[in-house]
Amino acid sequence: MKRSFNMRQGQVTLSLEGEEVLALVNAAMKEEVNFQRIEAKSPTFYKVKIDPVDAVRMRSLARSYNVRMKILSKEGWPFALHWLKKQPGFLAGPFFFFFILYMLSNIVWNVDIEGASPEVEHMIEQWMQEEHITPGTSHTELPPLDVLQKEVVSAVDGVTWVGVRLQGTRLKLQVVEQTLPDEADEKNEQHIVSTKRAVVREMYVEQGTAVKEPGDFVQPGEVLISGILNPPEPGEESSDNTPPQSVAAEGEVLGEVWYEADVTFTPGPDLSLLSGEREVAYQMNAFGLTLPIWGNQASEAFTEPVVRANTHSWRIFGYELPLQTKSITYYEQSQQTAELPDDAMEITAVELTSHELKKELPEDAEVTGEKILHRRDENGKVKISLHYQVMQNIAEDAPMIQGD
């Protein structure tokens, strides 16, 4: 006999042992004891499951039939609740665990300051300690984040903006510091002079008086932009109303500069070319001895042959034998002198000199023209002269000399 178990009602498992155990079960059924399961282990030993409310009546009947009854287990919600009443700590434990977890998650455990220099970071940390915003502070004790942001900017010098974020137990401050523009170095009174022998093409005067004009030919050291404002005309004295004023001349002057380069080509190197003729000799090496097989005179067939040798080792079942065959091939070669055509020489000369010239020029310089001036043969060598036109800045600062 077996019924489904009702967890809400619960059940009690009993062992019944005695001569009258069967009569006891029949009498209990007449008394309407609710058996959920009856299992006969032997004629004198039964194992039954009954409702908890019938346990008292079952004990009374067992005594009257002289049957020993023992409670094996108690299952179901009624017994679990009864056990919890006796163990209040077990019920309160999870509640306190989640309560403590919630409280700890509402505390700032880390304060991260990013984007600040060590000095500014130290100042922010000191201010936060004075305001009691340190690890261990509760979220409820923190001011609103937008208010905290404004307070940090106003309290700490050198801070332009602060982004404040609260991520769990971590308080993050992203700092943007003030960046003051570098103060320009005050320049002394100066002229702008030419660094090259060139023709002025373009002038950009920021401060000072232009002395030269586009198209003028200048020598190194000549003044291009004067640092004297309102200079008097030659032969005239400055008026009292507009006296000359000395400043630091500034500007840029682009000039056309000429460069010349020479490239010398020597006759090409001798090249060794194979004619296609060859002779082959065969040998056998055994136990350190060399035995000629064929082509003993092959080494004498050519004057300066190219020699290639190929050795083959013999193996049987993976074992290498002390026996080798060797083939030696002798190739005939001839010497020829390599010569470059004239146009190839000129192209090579331009490429070589252009590459070397660009390495020496400033980055903003531009090669505007190139020309081969002349080509001549000297003592079996070819010499090519080239002319380059380069547009570059020819201006440099020059201090004023007393009396300018």
Side-chain angles (χ1 to χ4, degrees), residues 217-231:
F217 177 79
V218 294
Q219 295 286 352
E222 284 194 49
V223 177
L224 302 175
I225 303 175
S226 174
I228 301 176
L229 301 180
N230 302 320

Side-chain angles (χ1 to χ4, degrees), residues 41-344:
K41 299 293 185 179
S42 67
T44 59
F45 183 78
Y46 275 49
K47 185 177 180 182
V48 299
K49 294 180 183 292
I50 62 173
D51 291 343
V53 295
D54 296 329
V56 177
R57 287 193 295 163
M58 194 66 184
R59 182 176 295 277
S60 176
L61 290 172
R63 288 175 180 172
S64 62
Y65 283 88
N66 198 21
V67 174
R68 186 171 60 181
M69 186 185 79
K70 183 179 180 181
I71 298 176
L72 299 179
S73 64
K74 299 176 182 180
E75 303 172 273
W77 287 116
F79 300 105
L81 293 176
H82 180 72
W83 182 83
L84 289 175
K85 290 179 181 179
K86 293 183 177 181
Q87 304 290 337
F90 185 83
L91 184 61
F95 172 78
F96 282 108
F97 170 77
F98 288 107
F99 176 76
I100 293 173
L101 185 63
Y102 171 78
M103 294 298 296
L104 293 178
S105 64
N106 282 273
I107 294 177
V108 175
W109 294 111
N110 298 92
V111 178
D112 296 337
I113 302 175
E114 301 175 353
S117 62
E119 295 80 9
V120 173
E121 182 177 351
H122 179 66
M123 293 170 61
I124 294 176
E125 289 176 349
Q126 283 187 330
W127 178 85
M128 295 184 74
Q129 288 179 359
E130 294 174 358
E131 297 295 324
H132 306 288
I133 304 175
T134 56
T137 303
S138 174
H139 290 185
T140 57
E141 298 176 358
L142 291 176
L145 298 185
D146 55 343
V147 175
L148 179 60
Q149 175 179 330
K150 294 177 182 179
E151 291 179 352
V152 174
V153 173
S154 61
V156 180
D157 295 333
V159 176
T160 302
W161 178 84
V162 175
V164 182
R165 290 181 299 167
L166 186 61
Q167 296 181 341
T169 60
R170 188 180 298 271
L171 182 65
K172 287 190 175 183
L173 283 78
Q174 185 68 40
V175 180
V176 176
E177 297 185 24
Q178 281 183 335
T179 55
L180 300 177
D182 297 334
E183 296 183 359
D185 297 335
E186 294 186 3
K187 293 185 178 180
N188 296 325
E189 300 169 351
Q190 64 180 18
H191 296 305
I192 300 294
V193 300
S194 174
T195 60
K196 300 285 184 182
R197 182 173 175 266
V199 174
V200 177
R201 293 303 182 195
E202 297 178 13
M203 296 188 69
Y204 305 95
V205 181
E206 297 180 13
Q207 185 170 256
T209 303
V211 178
K212 300 295 182 179
E213 297 181 354
D216 288 349
F217 177 79
V218 294
Q219 295 286 352
E222 284 194 49
V223 177
L224 302 175
I225 303 175
S226 174
I228 301 176
L229 301 180
N230 302 320
E233 295 293 334
E236 297 182 0
E237 295 182 357
S238 60
S239 62
D240 296 335
N241 297 331
T242 56
Q245 180 183 358
S246 298
V247 297
E250 294 184 9
E252 183 180 8
V253 181
L254 298 182
E256 184 180 296
V257 185
W258 307 282
Y259 294 90
E260 293 186 0
D262 295 327
V263 180
T264 302
F265 289 92
T266 58
D270 292 338
L271 301 179
S272 299
L273 302 178
L274 300 180
S275 64
E277 298 294 330
R278 66 175 183 173
E279 294 289 338
V280 182
Y282 295 94
Q283 297 176 352
M284 178 177 289
N285 297 331
F287 302 100
L289 300 177
T290 300
L291 304 175
I293 300 176
W294 182 267
N296 297 340
Q297 306 299 323
S299 60
E300 302 174 0
F302 309 114
T303 305
E304 295 181 358
V306 176
V307 182
R308 299 286 187 271
N310 185 23
T311 303
H312 176 72
S313 300
W314 292 87
R315 294 175 178 270
I316 296 180
F317 303 111
Y319 294 96
E320 184 174 349
L321 300 178
L323 180 64
Q324 295 176 331
T325 56
K326 184 177 183 181
S327 63
I328 305 174
T329 304
Y330 299 88
Y331 296 92
E332 183 184 23
Q333 65 175 345
S334 59
Q335 302 292 329
Q336 294 185 8
T337 302
E339 295 184 359
L340 288 174
D342 292 345
D343 56 348

Side-chain angles (χ1 to χ4, degrees), residues 29-48:
M29 294 179 69
K30 291 179 181 180
E31 294 289 336
E32 296 183 354
V33 173
N34 187 17
F35 286 95
Q36 297 181 11
R37 183 174 182 179
I38 301 175
E39 184 179 357
K41 299 293 185 179
S42 67
T44 59
F45 183 78
Y46 275 49
K47 185 177 180 182
V48 299

